Amino acid sequence: MDPLLDIQNLSLVFDTFDGTYHAIDDVSLSLKPGEALGLVGETGCGKSVLTRAAFGLVPSPPARITQGSVKLDGMELLGLSDRALRQVRGRQVAMIFQDPMTYLNPVFKVGTQLVDAIRAQHGGAIDRKAAREIALDMLEKVHLPNPLRQFESYPHELSGGMRQRILIAMALAARPKLLIADEPTTALDVTIQAQILDLMAELVDDMNLSMIMISHDLGVVAQVCSRVAVMYAGKIVEDAPIRDIFDSPLHPYTQGLLGALPHPFRPADDLESIPGNLPDLLDPPPGCRFAGRCTYRRPECTVPISLENVEPGHSVACVLRPGEAATTDSATKDLNHA
Amino acid sequence: MLEIENLKVHFPLPSGQTVRAVDGLTLKIAPGETMGLVGESGSGKSTVGKAALRLVDSTSGVIRIGDLDVTKARGRQMRKLRSRAQMVFQDPHSSLNPRMTIRRAVAEGLILNTSLRGKALRDKVAEMLEAMGLPAQFHDRFPHELSGGQKQRVCIARALALDPELLVLDEPTSALDVSVQAQILRVLRSLHEARPELTQLFISHNLAVVRFLCQSVAVMYLGRIVEMGPVDRVFDAPSHPYTKALLSAVPVPEATRRPDRIRLQGDIPSPTALPTGCAFHTRCPIAKKDVCNVQEPPRIELQDGRLVRCHFALGSAPE
Ligand SMILES: Nc1ncnc2c1ncn2[C@@H]1O[C@H](COP(=O)(O)OP(=O)(O)OP(=O)(O)O)[C@@H](O)[C@H]1O
Ligand SMILES: Nc1ncnc2c1ncn2[C@@H]1O[C@H](COP(=O)(O)OP(=O)(O)OP(=O)(O)O)[C@@H](O)[C@H]1O
Ligand code: SF4
Ligand code: SF4
Ligand SMILES: [Mg+2]
Ligand SMILES: [Mg+2]
């Protein structure tokens, strides 16, 4: 099947006062129709910049895309005019973010905002009444209790979980092919997060939606996605079915992340902490960006290392091959250098 | 060590309403025990921690740290409280003065509360920082020259410098990345060995972290504890319907989706208008009409010593 989204060799830098910041480096990522992919990694690794840059949402300057291509359904997006990109974002791609309040206007009723957004998605080609029908239908789809009443409320009268449902409804009203969800549940409580994650899994199935879900929490991603891409310092270091990520992670960073994660139902004697710090992306190392913290580092790690397919559906950017990296226990646990 | 009895902390609002942030909370932590305090946002966890250190005033109830009556402490007793109990907050960045080296940050409390000066003071500060994995080359750095995890370790060193008997940690790892969180959790767990007599109240909404660190856990819902007991018992065989739902909603780092999820309907009610009877009855999947919405459930002790606030904690669930 042809990919719905196909990012190839994308690199992006920020021109800053201190120099050129290499935020995204030679990233390739593709998504099949109907697929739900989790994009995980720690703060600042580039998850948001990557997904926003693909759809023209990172302002230039300071950002500059230095190479690569982004195709949606075969159409190249890099180089499109702002106007064309806005159309792509309105109709084919929808986005939701961590803090729904930032995307709702506090002085207008929720219903009004939904109707306006839906009319805009249709380029004004439908009237308010038709837009209202679509909106109510979507609110039902996201299981918002009492949609007619919520239509008349202001954003601040709703809880965080309800606001996030409204934004999901707004995003999906245009029947996009692709949903980018950037930490959609990070600000929510556990029981409310579970409701929203269930909803997202349901919508992906029902609406035949493709999704990239960004999170720093592997557990959250596991509730919804079938595949995971792990990012580290502006690069994707591993891309695999979710089962492989948990059962046979290949990249030492992925292994470190898993070793650092406490489990609520399997008490651990100890956790791992990954020693060392992130590399300076104003002057990144030429080879593997994890080399400064990796216990398996070898001389060949200093040349550029690209993501390679090592097993069906499983790619890794590391010189080690399956079986070569020992299990997670042997990584260092040295606090002083952490 | 820490004993709280029927604590109420109410905040009057300008609108005339009252936020019942903590509303009849009772708990006891044994010396040397680390207790996790979990619950959803707004359930009153931080308020309990602050009340225990008199950083907010309680409306009624009793709080004792050892033989010290916290709610009545004045003057000299207040100073005693300040050295006996310490708190570490979520955001290490805003807890440290940006213009003070970390050596200075740790020394301050010692200068105010002890007679240590000169070399003895310097040695004590160095010892505290080194115990947190911050060797000498770090001691003259300013907060902005440290990573988030390192800053949080400075905050813990500062809190421990006064040899407190009680340490209250309010979401100390929530602002940190997973790998950095692991550092801090390992530091805190090593305290169990290094300072076996230190009592810790660990406030968190992250249940996996609580499982790793704590011996006992108290689950809060709308200002009250609904279940409290040994961490293994509560996690492996939760009794209260809210605890069951909460644990079933935790995202676990595993490849398979959890099939056993209990879906709670609706949102948490506002603490300005607590539901009558059992505060959980508006969302409880087994609530019984004319019982749960009318009568406050008693605190029931299970055979394993757990305390549960539910009419049906001993079985005899509603038909
Ligand atoms: N406008 C900008 N100018 C300079 N640097 C930027 C700019 N925007 C982002 N960056 C940098 O790019 C890197 C990637 O940021 P990004 O927001 O994608 O991280 P992230 O993985 O989404 O992190 P988080 O989990 O914290 O959201 C960060 O180091 C960030 O500081
Ligand atoms: N000074 C105050 N004035 C009025 N209301 C307050 C005050 N402090 C706390 N509250 C309210 O009391 C309730 C309990 O707050 P608290 O901060 O203890 O919750 P929490 O369990 O720590 O939540 P979180 O997980 O979000 O930190 C909340 O509804 C909060 O808005
Ligand atoms: S490429 Fe080398 S340094 Fe990088 S993760 Fe693999 S072994 Fe470690
Ligand atoms: S007392 Fe009733 S409403 Fe409360 S938890 Fe028990 S069954 Fe549910
Ligand atoms: Mg981000
Ligand atoms: Mg709090």
Side-chain angles (χ1 to χ4, degrees):
Chain A
M1 212 182 327
D2 283 342
L4 172 68
L5 176 69
D6 194 15
I7 301 177
Q8 290 296 328
N9 308 100
L10 187 70
S11 294
L12 176 148
V13 299
F14 288 107
D15 293 310
T16 72
F17 284 123
D18 301 327
T20 309
Y21 186 92
H22 299 262
I24 303 291
D25 186 56
D26 198 25
V27 165
S28 298
L29 185 67
S30 74
L31 190 69
K32 292 200 277 280
E35 196 173 29
L37 168 83
L39 186 58
V40 304
E42 297 183 283
T43 300
C45 69
K47 306 179 294 293
S48 300
V49 167
L50 170 64
T51 43
R52 300 178 66 106
F55 303 101
L57 279 174
V58 183
S60 169
R64 193 155 44 87
I65 290 175
T66 54
Q67 63 164 36
S69 121
V70 177
K71 289 199 172 107
L72 183 70
D73 241 353
M75 176 177 68
E76 178 63 53
L77 299 185
L78 296 187
L80 282 189
S81 69
D82 285 353
R83 202 185 127 89
L85 279 169
R86 251 198 311 278
Q87 285 201 351
V88 168
R89 290 197 301 265
R91 301 191 191 156
Q92 287 164 279
V93 183
M95 297 190 165
I96 51 172
F97 302 94
Q98 173 171 340
D99 179 14
M101 208 50 193
T102 327
Y103 299 88
L104 289 169
N105 189 328
V107 303
F108 292 111
K109 286 181 184 165
V110 164
T112 315
Q113 298 190 51
L114 272 166
V115 166
D116 288 350
I118 290 167
R119 290 194 67 203
Q121 286 164 357
H122 288 79
I126 58 170
D127 61 14
R128 299 198 76 82
K129 195 158 160 292
R132 188 185 157 90
E133 290 302 311
I134 298 175
L136 284 170
D137 187 47
M138 283 313 301
L139 291 185
E140 217 146 285
K141 263 213 163 55
V142 299
H143 309 303
L144 196 76
N146 219 332
L148 275 173
R149 203 182 80 208
Q150 312 307 354
F151 231 67
E152 299 302 318
S153 22
Y154 290 92
H156 72 265
E157 296 171 314
L158 305 175
S159 67
M162 280 155 86
R163 284 182 211 138
Q164 197 57 288
R165 280 173 202 273
I166 291 189
L167 277 200
I168 294 174
M170 199 183 276
L172 298 185
R175 305 264 160 182
K177 296 177 192 147
L178 174 62
L179 176 67
I180 310 277
D182 194 343
E183 309 261 9
T185 62
T186 305
L188 303 175
D189 272 317
V190 181
T191 59
I192 311 294
Q193 165 171 284
Q195 291 173 358
I196 299 287
L197 293 177
D198 283 351
L199 170 69
M200 299 190 72
E202 180 188 317
L203 293 172
V204 166
D205 287 349
D206 284 5
M207 300 179 71
N208 193 29
L209 193 66
S210 307
M211 176 168 74
I212 297 181
M213 184 156 130
I214 297 175
S215 178
H216 57 268
D217 187 335
L218 267 166
V220 163
V221 157
Q223 304 303 305
V224 183
C225 303
S226 50
R227 207 181 111 207
V228 186
V230 180
M231 267 190 102
Y232 179 78
K235 290 187 97 87
I236 287 176
V237 295
E238 188 156 6
D239 180 342
I242 190 126
R243 183 166 294 284
D244 289 7
I245 288 284
F246 285 110
D247 296 349
S248 48
L250 293 176
H251 198 282
Y253 176 67
T254 314
Q255 294 174 0
L257 268 189
L258 287 165
L261 218 55
H263 193 292
F265 304 113
R266 267 193 262 122
D269 290 332
D270 203 356
L271 296 174
E272 241 177 82
S273 44
I274 305 171
N277 292 311
L278 286 165
D280 178 5
L281 295 189
L282 287 168
D283 182 22
C288 173
R289 289 188 170 186
F290 188 59
R293 308 171 78 179
C294 182
T295 40
Y296 307 105
R297 182 182 52 230
R298 320 165 169 190
E300 56 271 35
C301 302
T302 51
V303 299
I305 290 150
S306 51
L307 202 58
E308 270 177 55
N309 201 269
V310 287
E311 275 162 24
H314 194 154
S315 306
V316 65
C318 174
V319 298
L320 300 175
R321 282 298 164 256
E324 275 191 274
T327 49
T328 45
D329 330 325
S330 63
T332 33
K333 290 180 176 172
D334 192 345
L335 251 181
N336 290 335
H337 304 287
Chain B
M1 170 54 212
L2 173 67
E3 237 177 302
I4 301 180
E5 255 175 64
N6 203 18
L7 176 70
K8 295 191 180 179
V9 183
H10 294 177
F11 299 106
L13 295 180
S15 63
Q17 290 174 306
T18 302
V19 180
R20 286 149 73 178
V22 180
D23 201 45
L25 177 135
T26 298
L27 72 76
K28 205 185 269 186
I29 316 183
E33 183 178 319
T34 296
M35 178 184 271
L37 188 59
V38 305
E40 291 179 89
S41 183
S43 57
K45 305 180 296 295
S46 298
T47 306
V48 171
K50 287 180 191 156
L53 271 78
R54 265 286 280 282
L55 300 175
V56 297
D57 283 323
S58 7
T59 309
S60 66
V62 181
I63 304 174
R64 267 190 298 272
I65 298 179
D67 56 4
L68 190 78
D69 187 335
V70 174
T71 46
K72 297 212 184 74
R74 302 262 174 284
R76 229 165 58 86
Q77 283 170 314
M78 273 307 278
R79 274 208 304 283
K80 207 156 131 195
L81 172 65
R82 289 284 166 260
S83 58
R84 260 196 201 182
Q86 289 288 321
M87 193 151 173
V88 173
F89 296 93
Q90 172 170 347
D91 181 6
H93 190 70
S94 57
S95 318
L96 292 171
N97 182 337
R99 280 182 296 275
M100 224 184 243
T101 63
I102 63 171
R103 187 197 297 282
R104 206 43 226 290
V106 175
E108 270 226 318
L110 288 166
I111 295 170
L112 280 174
N113 291 285
T114 69
S115 54
L116 283 183
R117 296 294 180 271
K119 182 168 184 322
L121 177 68
R122 272 203 311 279
D123 287 350
K124 173 83 181 176
V125 170
E127 178 199 324
M128 295 314 303
L129 285 168
E130 268 155 36
M132 287 298 118
L134 293 165
Q137 72 260 31
F138 286 94
H139 299 182
D140 290 309
R141 292 200 190 169
F142 289 92
H144 75 265
E145 296 170 293
L146 300 179
S147 70
Q150 287 165 340
K151 276 185 273 208
Q152 194 58 294
R153 282 186 270 152
V154 174
C155 292
I156 297 170
R158 180 176 63 179
L160 291 177
L162 293 171
D163 274 319
E165 292 161 39
L166 174 70
L167 184 62
V168 176
L169 300 130
D170 193 353
E171 311 262 11
T173 65
S174 303
L176 306 174
D177 263 321
V178 188
S179 65
V180 185
Q181 165 176 285
Q183 266 179 44
I184 299 296
L185 292 178
R186 298 180 68 220
V187 164
L188 291 173
R189 193 139 124 172
S190 69
L191 289 179
H192 293 173
E193 273 167 41
R195 296 173 174 243
E197 67 303 333
L198 178 69
T199 307
Q200 298 182 52
L201 180 64
F202 185 85
I203 298 171
S204 179
H205 61 265
N206 185 330
L207 291 136
V209 163
V210 166
R211 179 90 201 232
F212 177 73
L213 203 64
C214 303
Q215 287 110 41
S216 60
V217 62
V219 183
M220 275 187 88
Y221 189 78
L222 282 176
R224 290 194 168 179
I225 290 172
V226 296
E227 179 161 1
M228 174 162 59
V231 84
D232 298 350
R233 295 298 302 148
V234 174
F235 276 61
D236 293 339
S239 163
H240 194 281
Y242 175 65
T243 319
K244 285 183 186 165
L246 187 68
L247 285 165
S248 82
V250 178
V252 293
E254 278 172 16
T256 40
R257 282 187 208 171
R258 303 186 60 190
D260 54 342
R261 183 174 290 162
I262 301 165
R263 291 166 187 240
L264 281 187
Q265 298 300 318
D267 290 308
I268 309 162
S270 158
T272 54
L274 295 184
T276 53
C278 173
F280 187 51
H281 85 257
T282 56
R283 299 170 81 199
C284 180
I286 63 161
K288 190 173 175 177
K289 215 171 156 258
D290 299 329
V291 178
C292 298
N293 53 344
V294 189
Q295 287 169 36
E296 255 182 44
R299 226 157 76 115
I300 294 174
E301 180 164 359
L302 306 188
Q303 277 193 335
D304 57 13
R306 240 183 307 167
L307 293 168
V308 182
R309 247 186 209 276
C310 169
H311 289 297
F312 308 108
L314 294 172
S316 61
E319 62 278 0

